[in-house]
Amino acid sequence: MALPILESYDPGRELVTVVTFSIPPGASDYVNSMWEIQQNPFRGDVVNSYNDGPPEPGKPLGPLCELERSSPAAALEPQQSLTHVHQTFHFAGSKDALQSIARESLGAELDKVADAFK
């Protein structure tokens, strides 16, 4: 089960990124976003998060932090539609201001988030 929100914290740049999105009731098929020919293209994840870290030889993407959200997969017939809402917000400011946003949106403590990656 996924929550309809993702967050990322960058203490060095004093930045919190919040991604919100819709999850339709009963949705179970999501696009598989692996970079390969898919055996089961509708068996993907609702959300993915990637952090490629600092650039190094052999790391093709370099420094990267991605919060990826997929809409449900749908083989639509003509005149059918699917609505998916995705919003991305970037908040820059003091640690106290960012902490307020993180607590309100996810109940997260920024110090615990930052310490988890040390």
Side-chain angles (χ1 to χ4, degrees), residues 24-81:
S28 60
D29 293 339
Y30 286 84
V31 174
N32 186 333
S33 61
M34 296 292 291
W35 290 10
E36 60 191 23
I37 301 296
Q38 299 296 317
Q39 294 286 334
N40 297 298
F42 289 172
R43 292 290 179 248
D45 299 314
V46 176
V47 297
N48 288 292
S49 175
Y50 307 96
N51 185 345
D52 202 34
E56 294 178 10
K59 279 191 165 182
L61 299 177
L64 167 78
C65 177
E66 180 179 359
L67 301 176
E68 179 181 86
R69 165 65 181 112
S70 298
S71 69
L76 299 175
E77 298 293 329
Q79 307 303 311
Q80 285 186 311
S81 65

Side-chain angles (χ1 to χ4, degrees), residues 83-100:
T83 300
H84 176 71
V85 178
H86 175 115
Q87 299 173 301
T88 301
F89 305 92
H90 299 286
F91 299 97
S94 70
K95 183 176 176 185
D96 288 341
L98 297 176
Q99 179 60 73
S100 177

Side-chain angles (χ1 to χ4, degrees), residues 4-5 9 12 14 18-19 23 34 40-41 65 67 104 108 111-112:
I5 187 169
Y9 173 49
E14 298 181 309
V18 178
V19 175
I23 300 177
M34 296 292 291
N40 297 298
C65 177
L67 301 176
E104 182 69 26
D111 285 336
K112 288 183 181 179

